[in-house]
Structures are given as structure tokens and as C-alpha cells.
Amino acid sequence: MLCKRYCSAGTLKNLWRCSGFRSPVYPSSCRSQNPPWAYIQVCCYVDVYMRWKKDSYYDSVEHIHHSIELNRVVSLKNCIARGPDGCIPISDVSKRGLEFGIRIKVARFLRLYPSVFEEFTGPQYSLPWFRLTPEAVEIDREEQRVCEEFKEDLRNRLRKFILMSKNRVLPLKIIQGMQWYLGLPDAFLHDPEKNLDESFRVVDVGDGLRGLAVDSQERVLSVLQKNALKRGLDPGGSMEAIDFPFFPSKGVRMRIKIEAWLKEFQKTPYVSPYDDCSNLDPDSDVAEKRVVGVLHELLSLFVEHSAERKKLLCLKKYLGLPQKVHKAFERHPHIFYLSLRNKTCTAILKEAYNDKHAIERHPMLRVRQKYIKLMKQSAVILKKRRKNNRVVKSKNVKDLDLDYVEEVELK
């Protein structure tokens, strides 16, 4: 653990009194009425690093660590579902592997999931075609039903995401990059008049890019503020102190000084992610708490309440986050957990998996869990196929007639 400490206001005050200076260098007309220590912002520990500790509980959440692979499967599923008669030739997607994030041949990827994709010979040139299995078709219908039923909930999540940004506007390419985490369907932004209400506006954000803006005068409360209201607290005042729920992992130990800093951090005023933060000192604990609040609120909007850390770092410019925002995850292991599974770093909001009533469940989560369960059946199907192939090959091998061999040798 490494930590840096600034001089406190009391230390500067004592040094000023003991310095022996009684008359200021500047004339009385130019000097301020307040002493110099009054302008020093108090900061305790602003550069804290805590050693990463593996936690098997968060590393074993299936819908988090299958999310990347599921995203690719669902993207291909959508292409097939939109095809004529619900099927497509392999040529339609064979050269779009980079678009889907697939590093192997698309045909090979489709064959890895026979429980989702069914292969058959096409009507022309004997090309392989793919369609969805009946189980995948049923889940796809449920997904469309959920999207239509909870369209207002999806709009609210998108609205909050945009309201956290500067000037309440985000480029469409940024929103599309986070579309999977927000649980929005692929075609949600393609038809704004159908899926969005009058509070959204398509605007020009410069450099030939289009963006989505939100016009809203209503005050939006964060998850922390709503939970504070449930506890009987009043977060309506400006710069009120709201505690972050802490969930320490087993075996994590911290120095006494770090624990003292965390206690003082909890007493620091809380700045909502939806409020203006342009007047905050970026090196203060208040700004640090605002950064943690933005990450907390952002992950609470997502389907799995988690996201790849590199995807979150792409939002620094638009959400007013500092350059080294990744250190916030390291300084607050009681709030976030960094999972290193699947050769990537995934940030997980601990509160969502320790207090089921604290954060609202995303309506798309259950659908994705069904997709993952269906994907896992592919391993059983492939294993059974390999076993049957071995049986067929063994039957094709001709049995040797030992008596005949002996007769040939005797001759």
C-alpha cells in the first residue's frame, strides 16, 4: 500500500504563527482579510494503492463472465432472425467477424453452439446455411416481448446515462458502444421516433458526428440518494454527506491509516453524478467521491452491474472523469471488484451482489441468463457427437480374420 499525505491546515497555521512575521510583505490595501491557511483545501490520502485480492464469489458469477461471448452469440442471432425466413447463408456473415468481435472463422464459431444455431444445406450450390434452433427462437421471442414491455425502463436508463455527461449530450457512437451494457436492442437507436420520447433530441456534436441530447428540468436522484431516502435521510440539501455501502472481501486487510482515510472519505460531501462539478478541485476528496459516485451510478444502470474496465475508461472525456480514473477501482476495493477472468479486466459493483434490494434488477438479465443456459447445452451436444463419430469409425474398421492370415503365411 502506498499513500501520500498533504499538510493539514492546522500544520500550516502553526508554521505561520511560529515564523515570526507579523507584518505582511504586501500593503494592507492588497492583502486579504483571511489568513492563508483558510485557502488550503484539506486532503488526507489522495493516492492510495491497495493490493488486489482474488474473490471467488465474484469470479463465479456466470452472467458476468459469459457476457462477452454472449454478446457475439446474440449479435449473430439477430442477423439470422432478421434474414428471410429466419435463415441466412454463411456468406452473409463470413467476412464480418471483426464486426462481431470474433477472432476465428464465423462458420466455426456458429458450429461451436449447435444448441443455438442449426446448420443445413442451402437450396443453391450446396452452401451451408444457418437458422435458429426452436429453443433459441423461443428465447428470442421472449427478448422482444421484454423489450416492448419495459421500453420505458430502457429509455430511463439511457436518459440517465446521457444526463451524467457534460452538457447532457453524448455522441451516438459512444452510446452504441455501451448499448450492450445498457440492455438496449440493436435497433433501438435506428428508429428514434418509435423508441424515444420528446425529451431526446438528435444533435450535431461536431466533426461530422451526430449525438443524442436530453432536455429535462426534473431533478434526477442517484441510487445512493434514493437509498438514503429509504433510510430516512434527506439528501436534498447541497453537498450532503452520503455513505457508500462497503462490502470487504475475505482476507483483505488495510493499514490503520488507510482505514482512517476511508472513514473521513465517507464524511466527505457527496456530489451527485447528475449535478454540475465544474467548480470542484480535481485533487480534493470531494472530487474523488464524485468520481466513485459516477462509477457506482453507471454500473447500477447496466444489465450485469459490471463492465470491461477499458470500456469505462473510454467515457472519461464525456463524463468529466480524471485521466487516472482507473485508480478509483484500486483505492476502493470495498465498493468495486476487479475480475481478471477471460483475459480481461472487468469492474463489478459489489453492492448489486450483496444487497438485492439496494439496486433495481435489470429487466433483460433473466433473458440473458436463459441464453447462457442454452449456450452451455452446446458442450453436451458436441461431446455426444464426438462419441457417436468414434463409434461409427470403429464399425467401419474391418475385423481381421486370424485363420486366413495364418493360412497365407503357411503357403
Side-chain angles (χ1 to χ4, degrees):
M1 291 177 286
L2 303 174
C3 47
K4 297 179 181 179
R5 190 169 186 171
Y6 286 98
C7 295
S8 64
T11 303
L12 293 175
K13 181 177 180 179
N14 294 333
L15 290 174
W16 185 78
R17 287 177 176 175
C18 298
S19 60
F21 291 100
R22 292 294 179 266
S23 58
V25 177
Y26 301 101
S28 59
S29 60
C30 297
R31 74 173 186 266
S32 174
Q33 297 179 354
N34 296 327
W37 64 81
Y39 297 98
I40 303 298
Q41 186 165 3
V42 179
C43 280
C44 297
Y45 291 85
V46 295
D47 191 7
V48 178
Y49 170 77
M50 293 182 227
R51 189 176 181 180
W52 178 80
K53 177 71 176 178
K54 181 179 176 64
D55 194 321
S56 59
Y57 173 70
Y58 302 103
D59 284 333
S60 61
V61 181
E62 283 191 342
H63 58 261
I64 291 180
H65 303 292
H66 286 84
S67 179
I68 298 176
E69 194 76 357
L70 177 61
N71 188 6
R72 300 163 184 164
V73 171
V74 171
S75 298
L76 286 169
K77 182 266 302 181
N78 292 336
C79 287
I80 296 175
R82 290 195 299 264
D85 301 325
C87 56
I88 60 171
I90 186 59
S91 57
D92 283 7
V93 292
S94 59
K95 297 182 179 180
R96 298 170 61 185
L98 185 62
E99 175 186 342
F100 300 124
I102 300 174
R103 298 182 179 180
I104 61 177
K105 290 184 177 181
V106 178
R108 181 185 173 189
F109 182 86
L110 289 168
R111 291 171 181 140
L112 289 176
Y113 298 100
S115 61
V116 182
F117 308 108
E118 182 180 345
E119 183 178 358
F120 64 99
T121 303
Q124 294 180 349
Y125 310 113
S126 299
L127 291 176
W129 283 54
F130 289 89
R131 61 191 169 208
L132 300 181
T133 61
E135 296 81 6
V137 171
E138 184 62 29
I139 301 178
D140 177 66
R141 290 173 181 170
E142 182 179 353
E143 180 183 1
Q144 296 178 13
R145 189 165 56 249
V146 170
C147 290
E148 190 64 30
E149 183 179 353
F150 293 92
K151 183 178 292 186
E152 184 61 30
D153 183 274
L154 298 177
R155 273 198 295 257
N156 287 334
R157 293 176 186 272
L158 176 60
R159 184 182 294 107
K160 289 181 178 181
F161 179 51
I162 298 176
L163 288 175
M164 282 192 283
S165 64
K166 296 180 180 179
N167 302 322
R168 299 185 172 185
V169 59
L170 281 175
L172 284 174
K173 67 174 185 178
I174 295 297
I175 300 176
Q176 291 169 351
M178 306 303 294
Q179 203 166 332
W180 172 256
Y181 296 115
L182 291 168
L184 304 179
D186 289 346
F188 196 81
L189 298 176
H190 295 166
D191 192 355
E193 295 182 358
K194 178 182 177 181
N195 298 316
L196 304 179
D197 55 26
E198 61 278 0
S199 64
F200 294 91
R201 289 185 299 110
V202 178
V203 296
D204 186 5
V205 295
D207 298 330
L209 298 176
R210 305 291 286 175
L212 199 61
V214 173
D215 297 327
S216 177
Q217 302 299 328
E218 298 180 2
R219 189 188 177 208
V220 181
L221 297 179
S222 65
V223 170
L224 285 176
Q225 290 174 321
K226 290 180 179 179
N227 292 337
L229 281 174
K230 293 178 182 178
R231 296 193 302 267
L233 303 178
D234 183 15
S238 178
M239 303 289 282
E240 292 289 338
I242 301 178
D243 293 350
F244 284 96
F246 281 175
F247 301 95
S249 297
K250 294 181 180 180
V252 175
R253 296 181 180 179
M254 294 182 296
R255 293 181 181 179
I256 297 178
K257 292 182 179 180
I258 304 300
E259 291 181 352
W261 172 73
L262 285 176
K263 291 180 181 179
E264 292 298 323
F265 176 81
Q266 294 283 48
K267 299 177 183 178
T268 305
Y270 172 80
V271 180
S272 173
Y274 306 105
D275 293 342
D276 182 28
C277 63
S278 57
N279 59 340
L280 294 180
D281 183 351
D283 294 327
S284 66
D285 281 358
V286 178
E288 168 83 4
K289 194 165 186 177
R290 189 258 172 188
V291 171
V292 176
V294 170
L295 297 175
H296 183 283
E297 183 71 9
L298 194 61
L299 293 176
S300 68
L301 297 176
F302 293 165
V303 179
E304 293 94 5
H305 306 301
S306 64
E308 291 182 81
R309 187 176 65 172
K310 62 182 180 181
K311 293 291 185 66
L312 297 177
L313 299 183
C314 296
L315 302 175
K316 292 184 293 186
K317 173 182 176 182
Y318 306 98
L319 301 187
L321 301 175
Q323 186 65 25
K324 297 183 179 180
V325 62
H326 60 278
K327 289 189 174 183
F329 296 111
E330 301 168 2
R331 286 195 290 262
H332 301 277
H334 293 353
I335 304 175
F336 309 107
Y337 176 74
L338 294 178
S339 176
L340 303 181
R341 283 191 57 181
N342 302 325
K343 299 180 180 180
T344 187
C345 184
T346 304
I348 303 174
L349 181 62
K350 284 188 170 184
E351 185 179 9
Y353 295 91
N354 289 272
D355 188 353
K356 297 182 180 180
H357 303 288
I359 300 177
E360 184 180 358
R361 182 187 178 100
H362 197 289
M364 289 299 299
L365 179 59
R366 186 173 181 179
V367 176
R368 292 190 181 179
Q369 289 175 336
K370 289 186 176 182
Y371 275 125
I372 293 173
K373 185 178 180 180
L374 181 62
M375 288 168 56
K376 292 175 67 176
Q377 295 178 12
S378 297
V380 179
I381 297 175
L382 293 175
K383 184 178 180 179
K384 187 176 181 179
R385 286 181 181 177
R386 288 193 295 267
K387 184 178 179 180
N388 293 337
N389 289 337
R390 285 196 297 267
V391 172
V392 171
K393 288 181 180 179
S394 64
K395 289 183 178 180
N396 291 334
V397 176
K398 293 182 179 180
D399 296 332
L400 294 176
D401 190 344
L402 297 180
D403 295 335
Y404 176 77
V405 172
E406 289 178 357
E407 291 179 1
V408 171
E409 290 178 353
L410 289 174
K411 290 179 181 180

